[in-house]
Amino acid sequence: MTASTTRIDVSFLSGGERCRAWLYLPTGAVTPPPVVVLGHGLGGTREMRLDAFAERFAQAGIAALAFTYRHFGDSDGAPRQLLSIRRQLQDWEGALAFVRGRSDVDGSRVALWGSSFGGGHALTVASRHPELRAVVAQCPFTDGVASAMATRPAETLALLPYVVSDLIATVSGRRPVTVPIAARTGEVGLMTAPDALPGYAEISPADVPFVNAAAARVVPTILGYRPGRRLRSITFPVFVCVSNSDSVTPAGPTLRYATTARRARVKRYEAGHFDFYTGVVFDELVADQTAFLAAHLEPGGTG
């Protein structure tokens, strides 16, 4: 933590349960600052480098709320490791309601920031809220079919027995049948790209171990999820940060969807999906995102 920011442990309600979060505030602000809401990707929690982005935004005078979805990390929700698109979108809505209800941030100047699967969520939520100022979609998940086609068909088919078993467990009230979120190529997992398992290890702090499991029932909903289609209905500025060598969320479909947006800025980076979170690529990326957010969250701006 730097001297220029303050981090507060907070929580908010979503579906009657609590999402835990960190609120980063610029110190010494004369008036309530604008705020950006940050959500992570598949199975990610706020400790997995959301804090790094949030702190940099706060250093630039933009408050930031980094939250953890229900069923993961220290947020509420049973069963654990339940990855529900519907519930995660509710969590985004809960986060928005939370920042708008606070007096220490300016609820009229709000932006969204999502990475990977959270980037798809950010686009979906942004399309429902024309009053927002801006959205940043970092290596966003935009098309479930396209992401599935980026893996070998045999690896996708290998998930099916687990899906069936988990759906049976759901009906019978048993504990979820889980699959790894990230696995080695050729193994069973939601992501089997070569950089997926080491990527999660790289961004997970030693004191908050990554729980590499998700209820298998999510697979059909991921395949049918196409948040890239929402870009065409977002009326305010969108910054789409694309990895040219993305092995998890392929660049091609994202770039095609971005052409349908009314006010999109697209920047391509020569870095892999998980390279965005650390090192020199992170420094370049967060500087670009900070400049974008600052430009569209200015007082009196229209977005």
Side-chain angles (χ1 to χ4, degrees):
M1 190 66 56
T2 70
S4 60
T5 65
T6 300
R7 190 179 83 185
I8 305 171
D9 291 327
V10 296
S11 67
F12 58 87
L13 284 174
S14 176
E17 299 169 314
R18 290 210 167 268
C19 289
R20 266 72 189 190
W22 289 324
L23 178 63
Y24 288 77
L25 296 170
T27 57
V30 178
T31 59
V35 60
V36 57
V37 175
L38 295 88
H40 221 314
L42 282 176
T45 63
R46 65 189 185 281
E47 295 88 356
M48 298 167 70
R49 297 291 292 174
L50 286 196
D51 50 351
F53 286 91
E55 184 171 348
R56 289 285 287 270
F57 297 149
Q59 289 172 4
I62 303 167
L65 180 78
F67 73 92
T68 297
Y69 300 109
R70 284 177 293 165
H71 305 280
F72 290 89
D74 61 353
S75 289
D76 292 350
R80 304 307 295 167
Q81 304 306 115
L82 176 63
L83 207 166
S84 164
I85 293 173
R86 178 181 62 83
R87 290 180 180 226
Q88 291 192 350
L89 291 175
Q90 288 177 343
D91 296 345
W92 278 90
E93 296 287 353
L96 272 177
F98 174 75
V99 296
R100 285 175 171 154
R102 293 186 68 91
S103 61
D104 50 2
V105 299
D106 185 348
S108 69
R109 294 187 288 152
V110 183
L112 305 181
W113 181 103
S115 186
S116 195
F117 207 59
H121 290 340
L123 295 176
T124 300
V125 175
S127 71
R128 300 171 178 173
H129 289 275
E131 75 280 5
L132 296 175
R133 291 292 192 87
V135 57
V136 176
Q138 174 175 292
C139 52
F141 176 97
T142 55
D143 192 296
V145 174
S147 290
M149 290 177 64
T151 65
R152 295 187 299 178
E155 293 177 345
T156 301
L157 290 173
L159 290 167
L160 294 182
Y162 296 88
V163 174
V164 172
S165 296
D166 192 33
L167 292 174
I168 293 172
T170 303
V171 174
S172 59
R174 298 199 304 269
R175 293 178 58 184
V177 176
T178 64
V179 293
I181 294 169
R184 294 181 179 86
T185 302
E187 297 180 349
V188 174
L190 298 182
M191 288 182 284
T192 56
D195 58 340
L197 192 57
Y200 272 89
E202 175 68 18
I203 66 175
S204 300
D207 58 338
V208 186
F210 169 54
V211 181
N212 188 15
R217 70 194 72 170
V218 74
V219 172
T221 61
I222 289 177
L223 291 174
Y225 192 35
R226 307 181 83 176
R229 292 181 170 183
R230 299 299 189 113
L231 270 159
R232 70 183 64 182
S233 56
I234 298 174
T235 57
F236 47 80
V238 182
F239 185 19
V240 185
C241 305
V242 179
S243 160
N244 281 336
S245 56
D246 202 317
S247 59
V248 176
T249 55
T254 297
L255 293 169
R256 287 193 291 274
Y257 281 124
T259 64
T260 69
R262 304 183 196 186
R263 302 177 65 184
R265 177 193 173 195
V266 178
K267 184 170 180 179
R268 303 174 68 168
Y269 298 82
E270 293 298 336
H273 186 89
F274 292 94
D275 295 330
F276 278 16
Y277 298 97
T278 58
V280 295
V281 180
F282 163 77
D283 287 332
E284 178 186 2
L285 195 73
V286 75
D288 292 340
Q289 294 172 357
T290 300
F292 172 82
L293 290 170
H296 297 294
L297 291 173
E298 291 181 350
T302 57

